[in-house]
Amino acid sequence: MLDAASRCGIDRIMATPHYRNKWKNRAAARQVFSELRTDAMQRGITLQLGSEFYIGEYDRDRIDFIKSELCFEDSNALLLELSPHTSLEEAQDVIYPLQRSGIEIILAHPEKYLHIQNNRRGYEDFLLMGCKLQLSAEWLTFPFWNARKRAAKRMLAAGAYEYIASDAHSAKDYELFASVIKKYKL
């Protein structure tokens, strides 16, 4: 995957393995990441470790763990994934306590959340909460009738996104990402 990223001109990757309580071995993840970081540096790619934290794993008693283990290295930024069906109120119940603890929320692929798809300006609710939004570029390749693509284009036109991600799960995803970047001049 690093070779594919390099071929596409990518020089920085924020590695965000999904975090689930059932996959608790962060030490093993850090070890693999350390080895991967060396390979990335040899290809001219800066690699930073974070995680994609799923809202269903939230526990108020674990905020210190979330802050120390799941935020991006050397930062207080957390990539938060909601369920497509998460209501705004449910999101607020998690986001506000995390923010009060000093965690900055980056909302992963907001274009797939029904609150945003079903409300033309639903994304503004998250911006008003102080969240930053991260586009998953792949949605811009879907057919025009796809609700995720429509939401992504709407937020892109409004300048709502702070970050653009490949959400790469395979080497081919980087080619898709590069094509979106070129097509939309991002």
Side-chain angles (χ1 to χ4, degrees), residues 17 29 33 36 49 53 55 62 83 125 139 149 152 181 185:
F33 178 79
L36 192 58
L49 181 62
F53 182 70
I55 191 169
R62 300 192 71 213
S83 159
D125 294 324
W139 299 120
K149 179 176 185 170
I181 295 297
K185 298 178 174 81

Side-chain angles (χ1 to χ4, degrees), residues 6 18 28-29 36 45 51 55 63 74 86 95 100 102 105-106 113 122 133 172 186:
S6 181
H18 293 258
L36 192 58
I45 298 173
S51 66
I55 191 169
I63 288 180
D74 303 320
T86 301
I95 291 169
R100 280 193 297 275
I105 302 297
I106 302 169
Y113 306 132
L133 306 182
K172 291 182 89 174
L186 303 173

Side-chain angles (χ1 to χ4, degrees), residues 19 24-27 30 49-51 62-73 75 78:
Y19 176 81
K24 292 182 182 179
N25 195 343
R26 284 295 282 182
R30 288 187 188 285
L49 181 62
S51 66
R62 300 192 71 213
I63 288 180
D64 289 338
F65 169 79
I66 293 167
K67 199 171 186 178
S68 67
E69 293 294 322
L70 303 180
C71 287
F72 287 104
E73 292 176 296
S75 84
L78 177 70

